[in-house]
C-alpha cells in the first residue's frame, strides 16, 4: 500500500481559508460595507477644518463621533449577538446615512458649532459594526478550526486594506472635488454595502435568543473552562432537571477582554494622532494631497505585516507576542515628533504600521480563546470601540496641540498613548494567558486538531 501523506493536517494558510464554503458570500459585501468607515474621520476632519479653519474644532467634532461610536458600538454588538445581525444592521445603516448627510449640511451652512457636535453623536452611534460581524461569521463558519488565527490575520489585513484605500479616496475627493465629497460618498457606500451585507442570511450567526438552553449552556461551559466565574458559564443553571437557563452577560466581565480594551485604546491613539498630525503637516508644506499618501503608507505597512502574521506558524504564546509587538509600536512612534520631511514620515509610518499588525491580529485571536460564542460579536465590537475611543481622544489632543503648540506637536500623542497602554499590558498580561489551556481541558476531548500557529 502506498504511504499516506494526508495523515498530518495541512498547515493553515490563506488559500485554505478562502476555500472555506460560504466565505465569499460575506467577505465581498463585508469589504464594501467596511470601506466607508475608513473614510469617516478623515472626511470629517477635512470638511470641518475647511469650514472653520481650525484643526482643533475639526478634531473635537471627530472626537465626538468616535466617542459616540465607542459608547454605542458595543451595545450594537451585544444586540447583534442576542437578536441577530440583520436586526441591528439595517436600521443602523439607514440612521448613519441620514446622520452623515445632516452633519454635512450643517457644516456647509456654517451652522453654529454646537449643532455640529450634536450631529456628530448619531453619526458615530450609528456606525455599522461590520468588521466585528464578519469576525463573528468566521467563528461560526470555522467552528474551532486551526484556521481561526489565520482568519484573524486575514481580517486585520482586510481592515488595513480599507485604511489604505479609504483615506486616499476620501482625501482625493475632499481636495479635488469638494470638501464635502468625502462624507457624502461615505454615506452612499455605507448604505449600499451595509444592505448588501445584511442580505447574506446563510452565514449569519444564530442569535442567542434562538439557541436552545442546553446548547447555549454547553457552549458557555466549554468556551470559558475554569474561568466560568467571569464569563457566560455563570449563567448555566438547572432546577429539578429543567433545561438550563443561559444569561447573556457582557464580554467585559472577562478580565482578559478588559486588558485587550486598554491595548486597543493605545492603538487608537496612533490612528487618530496620525490622521490629524499628517493632515496638519501636509497643509503646512503646501501639499495637502500628500496626506492620503502618507497615511496610506502607514496602513500598507500594517497590511503587509498582517499578511506575514497570518502566514507564520507561531511557537510563542499569543500574549507574549502581543507585548513584544506593542513594545515595537512604542519605539517606532517615539520618533514621529522629530521627523521633518515626507520621506522620513513615510518611513516611520511604514514601521509603525508593521508594529501595529501583530497587536491587532493577536488581540482578535485571543478573543476566540477568552470569550464564548454567545458574546463574541460584542467582544469584537468592544475592541473596535476601544480603537475608536483612543482615536477620538487622539484627534482632539493632537488638534489642540497643532493649533496651540508647534507644528508637529500632535505627533507626541501616539507615543504617549501607546506608552501608557504598554505599562498596563505588561502589568496585566497574565490575564490573557490561562484560558487557552483551560478551554481545551474543558472540552474534555483529545480529538480537536492541534492549532500549530499558537
Amino acid at each position: 500500500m502506498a504511504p499516506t501523506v494526508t495523515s498530518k493536517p495541512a498547515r493553515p494558510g490563506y488559500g485554505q481559508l478562502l476555500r472555506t464554503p460560504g466565505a465569499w458570500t460575506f467577505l465581498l459585501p463585508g469589504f464594501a460595507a467596511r470601506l466607508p468607515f475608513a473614510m469617516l474621520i478623515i472626511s470629517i476632519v477635512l470638511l470641518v477644518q475647511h469650514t472653520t479653519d481650525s484643526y482643533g474644532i475639526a478634531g473635537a467634532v471627530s472626537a465626538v463621533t468616535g466617542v459616540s461610536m465607542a459608547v454605542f458600538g458595543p451595545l450594537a454588538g451585544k444586540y447583534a449577538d442576542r437578536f441577530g445581525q440583520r436586526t441591528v444592521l439595517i436600521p443602523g445603516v439607514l440612521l448613519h446615512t441620514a446622520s452623515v448627510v445632516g452633519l454635512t449640511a450643517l457644516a456647509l451652512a456654517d451652522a453654529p458649532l454646537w449643532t455640529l457636535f450634536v450631529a456628530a453623536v448619531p453619526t458615530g452611534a450609528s456606525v455599522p459594526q461590520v468588521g466585528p460581524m464578519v469576525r463573528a461569521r468566521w467563528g461560526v463558519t470555522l467552528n474551532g478550526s486551526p484556521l481561526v488565527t489565520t482568519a484573524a490575520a486575514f481580517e486585520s489585513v482586510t481592515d488595513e486594506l480599507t485604511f489604505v484605500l479609504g483615506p486616499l479616496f476620501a482625501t482625493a475627493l475632499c481636495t479635488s472635488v469638494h470638501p464635502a465629497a468625502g462624507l457624502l460618498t461615505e454615506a452612499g457606500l455605507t448604505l449600499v454595502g451595509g444592505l448588501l451585507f445584511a442580505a447574506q442570511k446563510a452565514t449569519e450567526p444564530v442569535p442567542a435568543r434562538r439557541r436552545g438552553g442546553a446548547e447555549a449552556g454547553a457552549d458557555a461551559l466549554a468556551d470559558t473552562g475554569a474561568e466560568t466565574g467571569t464569563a457566560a458559564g455563570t449563567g448555566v443553571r438547572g432546577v429539578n432537571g429543567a433545561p438550563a437557563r443561559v444569561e447573556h452577560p457582557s464580554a467585559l466581565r472577562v478580565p482578559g477582554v478588559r486588558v485587550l480594551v486598554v491595548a486597543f485604546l493605545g492603538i487608537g491613539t496612533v490612528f487618530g494622532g496620525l490622521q490629524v498630525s499628517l493632515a496638519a503637516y501636509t497643509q503646512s508644506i503646501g501639499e495637502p494631497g500628500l496626506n492620503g499618501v502618507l497615511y496610506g503608507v502607514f496602513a500598507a505597512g500594517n497590511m503587509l505585516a498582517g499578511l506575514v502574521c497570518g502566514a507564520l506558524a507561531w511557537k510563542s504564546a499569543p500574549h507574549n507576542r502581543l507585548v513584544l509587538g506593542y513594545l515595537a509600536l512604542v519605539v517606532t512612534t517615539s520618533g514621529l515628533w522629530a521627523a521633518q520631511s515626507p520621506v522620513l514620515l513615510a518611513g516611520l509610518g511604514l514601521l509603525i504600521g508593521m508594529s501595529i499588525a501583530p497587536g491587532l491580529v493577536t488581540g482578535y485571536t485571543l478573543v476566540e480563546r477568552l470569550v464564548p460564542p454567545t458574546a463574541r460579536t460584542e467582544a469584537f465590537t468592544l475592541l473596535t470601540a476601544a480603537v475608536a475611543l483612543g482615536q477620538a481622544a487622539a484627534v482632539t489632543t493632537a488638534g489642540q496641540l497643532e493649533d496651540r503648540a508647534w507644528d508637529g506637536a500632535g505627533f507626541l500623542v501616539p507615543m504617549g498613548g501607546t506608552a501608557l497602554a504598554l505599562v498596563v499590558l505588561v502589568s496585566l498580561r497574565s490575564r490573557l494567558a490561562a484560558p487557552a489551556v483551560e478551554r481545551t481541558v474543558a472540552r474534555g476531548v483529545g480529538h480537536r486538531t492541534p492549532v500549530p500557529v499558537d
Side-chain angles (χ1 to χ4, degrees):
M1 180 181 291
T4 301
V5 296
T6 58
S7 59
K8 184 178 180 180
R11 198 179 88 179
Y14 292 112
Q16 185 181 356
L17 178 72
L18 295 177
R19 289 193 295 272
T20 302
W24 286 103
T25 63
F26 63 85
L27 284 180
L28 290 178
F31 180 80
R34 292 156 81 171
L35 180 62
F37 175 67
M39 303 171 60
L40 180 61
I41 296 299
I42 188 64
S43 295
I44 292 175
V45 168
L46 293 175
L47 174 60
V48 177
Q49 193 278 331
H50 171 78
T51 58
T52 65
D53 196 30
S54 170
Y55 282 105
I57 295 174
V61 174
S62 300
V64 171
T65 304
V67 170
S68 182
M69 191 198 109
V71 171
F72 291 97
L75 291 176
K78 186 167 187 173
Y79 292 143
D81 280 327
R82 191 166 185 179
F83 300 109
Q85 293 184 358
R86 294 179 72 250
T87 303
V88 173
L89 186 58
I90 292 175
V93 164
L94 297 176
L95 175 59
H96 183 74
T97 303
S99 299
V100 170
V101 172
L103 175 60
T104 304
L106 289 170
L108 292 176
D110 291 326
L113 291 180
W114 67 267
T115 64
L116 299 182
F117 291 106
V118 170
V121 174
T123 297
S126 59
V127 169
Q129 302 299 317
V130 177
M133 290 180 181
V134 171
R135 287 182 167 91
R137 291 188 186 219
W138 273 124
V140 171
T141 304
L142 296 176
N143 193 26
S145 160
L147 290 166
V148 165
T149 299
T150 308
F154 180 82
E155 287 306 306
S156 178
V157 171
T158 302
D159 282 339
E160 293 319 307
L161 179 58
T162 66
F163 277 97
V164 170
L165 301 177
L168 282 171
F169 192 26
T171 301
L173 288 170
C174 292
T175 57
S176 302
V177 180
H178 189 277
L183 267 183
L184 293 177
T185 302
E186 190 272 349
L189 290 175
T190 296
L191 179 64
V192 175
L195 293 179
L196 285 175
F197 181 79
Q200 311 308 311
K201 301 179 184 179
T203 54
E204 181 179 0
V206 177
R209 68 173 181 171
R210 297 182 193 167
R211 298 188 182 192
E215 176 188 351
D219 282 344
L221 285 174
D223 282 283
T224 52
E227 205 179 40
T228 54
T230 60
T234 56
V236 182
R237 300 188 180 96
V239 179
N240 296 326
R245 180 174 66 87
V246 180
E247 296 176 353
H248 305 286
S250 172
L252 272 175
R253 291 180 61 182
V254 181
V257 171
R258 297 197 291 269
V259 178
L260 290 175
V261 165
V262 174
F264 276 54
L265 278 169
I267 290 174
T269 66
V270 179
F271 289 117
L274 284 182
Q275 282 184 333
V276 171
S277 300
L278 288 175
Y281 171 77
T282 54
Q283 186 73 33
S284 70
I285 63 173
E287 297 288 347
L290 277 179
N291 177 36
V293 175
L294 292 177
Y295 196 84
V297 170
F298 154 72
N302 198 342
M303 181 176 65
L304 293 174
L307 283 170
V308 173
C309 286
L312 293 178
W314 294 99
K315 301 295 184 182
S316 60
H319 64 286
N320 291 331
R321 297 202 305 270
L322 182 60
V323 172
L324 289 175
Y326 222 96
L327 178 61
L329 182 60
V330 174
V331 171
T332 51
T333 55
S334 65
L336 281 171
W337 65 275
Q340 297 297 321
S341 76
V343 174
L344 285 176
L345 284 174
L348 276 174
L350 183 67
L351 293 176
I352 292 168
M354 294 174 67
S355 301
I356 281 182
L360 290 174
V361 172
T362 307
Y364 284 121
T365 301
L366 282 167
V367 167
E368 297 284 348
R369 294 166 167 255
L370 295 165
V371 183
T374 53
R376 281 185 190 153
T377 303
E378 181 195 1
F380 289 133
T381 308
L382 281 167
L383 299 190
T384 303
V387 174
L389 186 58
Q391 186 179 26
V395 294
T396 302
T397 306
Q400 293 295 329
L401 288 174
E402 291 292 344
D403 277 350
R404 301 173 184 273
W406 67 92
D407 289 341
F411 286 124
L412 293 173
V413 173
M415 178 182 68
T418 54
L420 290 174
L422 177 62
V423 172
V424 175
L425 182 59
V426 170
S427 303
L428 302 177
R429 69 185 183 280
S430 61
R431 298 189 180 186
L432 303 172
V437 175
E438 291 168 355
R439 177 179 177 177
T440 303
V441 173
R443 289 187 182 274
V445 295
H447 311 299
R448 286 189 68 196
T449 304
V451 183
V453 290
D454 289 326

